[in-house]
Amino acid sequence: EVQLVESGGGLVQPGGSLRLSCAASGFTLRSYWISWVRQAPGKGLEWVANIKQDGSEKNYVESVKGRFTISRDNAKNSMYLQMNSLRVEDTAVYYCAREAPESSGMDVWGQGTTVTVS
Amino acid sequence: QSVLTQPPSASGTPGQRVTISCSGSSSNIGRYFVYWYQQLPGTAPKLLIYRNNQRPSGVPDRFSGSKSGTSASLAISGLRSEDEADYYCAAWDDSLSGWVFGGGTKLTVL
């Protein structure tokens, strides 16, 4: 079964750090761009960052630039989101999502991991 | 405030046809494909429409998408109770170098 599973969420104080992981199964992660998308409580979806297949390109939403770092380890079929200098407004469910080739959208999503900054 | 603009709510009765609009600009919808995601309560989003009007396998043909200029819309025909969910449009944005989402539309089946 094609699947993404996030982990690493939790409760952290403002200014603290967390590292989220996203593990792929049922497919080879190295063939895809991967995104992190978050959803604050009761709010809509917000794209956070994405990373190219080989890690050579990374993009971030303005509000996390300089604080969050996206990375991947294709040998482990996993990708990560290092979150530093966390703020209350970073509280959200964080999803990783696979970007299908040829502009076919984010076709596989994880179940999400909850980050609470308080 | 989201870069893409959607109505916060929509509603319809079973069997009806409803449409949800998504308005953007020349740096996103005007230049790139539009995607639609469905999020059922308490679950992760699911890809509903890609490349403006294409349906992934398994998505009923009751769902259709269209795009014109800097706007797009999602149409749901033959509305069913299980369609009650939040719907989000998305597109790549050139000036932001990132994906942008609409604020979401909560669809209620009366």
Side-chain angles (χ1 to χ4, degrees), chain A residues 17-20 36 60 67-71 80-84:
Chain A
S17 298
L18 272 180
R19 187 194 194 211
L20 306 183
W36 285 99
Y60 298 91
R67 300 189 300 123
F68 289 13
T69 302
I70 191 171
S71 63
Y80 310 97
L81 187 68
Q82 178 66 43
M83 305 187 295
N84 298 331

Side-chain angles (χ1 to χ4, degrees), chain A residues 35 37 39 43-47 50 59-60 65 95 99 101-107 109-112, chain B residues 2 33 35 37 39 42-47 50-51 86 88 92 96-104:
Chain A
S35 271
V37 177
Q39 186 169 34
K43 302 296 184 182
L45 302 175
E46 180 186 35
W47 173 82
N50 69 354
N59 298 291
Y60 298 91
K65 285 180 181 176
Y95 298 99
E99 297 184 30
E102 298 183 1
S103 303
S104 298
M106 296 180 197
D107 67 337
W109 294 66
Q111 85 289 349
Chain B
S2 303
F33 292 122
Y35 303 81
Y37 297 90
Q39 187 176 32
T43 69
K46 168 191 167 185
L47 180 64
Y50 66 98
R51 280 193 240 140
D86 293 324
Y88 296 90
W92 183 260
L96 298 174
S97 295
W99 290 100
V100 290
F101 284 90

Side-chain angles (χ1 to χ4, degrees), chain B residues 17-20 36 61-66 73-77:
Chain B
R17 182 178 187 270
V18 297
T19 61
I20 297 171
W36 291 90
D61 59 6
R62 301 186 296 105
F63 294 90
S64 62
S66 64
S73 63
L74 172 72
I76 309 171
S77 59

Side-chain angles (χ1 to χ4, degrees), chain B residues 3 17-18 21 34 37 87 89 93 103:
Chain B
V3 173
R17 182 178 187 270
V18 297
S21 62
V34 176
Y37 297 90
Y87 293 85
C89 59
D93 190 290

Side-chain angles (χ1 to χ4, degrees), chain A residues 58-113:
Chain A
K58 304 173 186 181
N59 298 291
Y60 298 91
V61 69
E62 190 65 35
S63 60
V64 309
K65 285 180 181 176
R67 300 189 300 123
F68 289 13
T69 302
I70 191 171
S71 63
R72 63 194 298 160
D73 185 339
N74 288 333
K76 294 184 177 179
N77 228 25
S78 296
M79 59 97 93
Y80 310 97
L81 187 68
Q82 178 66 43
M83 305 187 295
N84 298 331
S85 304
L86 282 161
R87 304 168 180 169
V88 171
E89 53 266 35
D90 295 319
T91 295
V93 175
Y94 284 73
Y95 298 99
C96 59
R98 183 181 86 171
E99 297 184 30
E102 298 183 1
S103 303
S104 298
M106 296 180 197
D107 67 337
V108 178
W109 294 66
Q111 85 289 349
T113 187

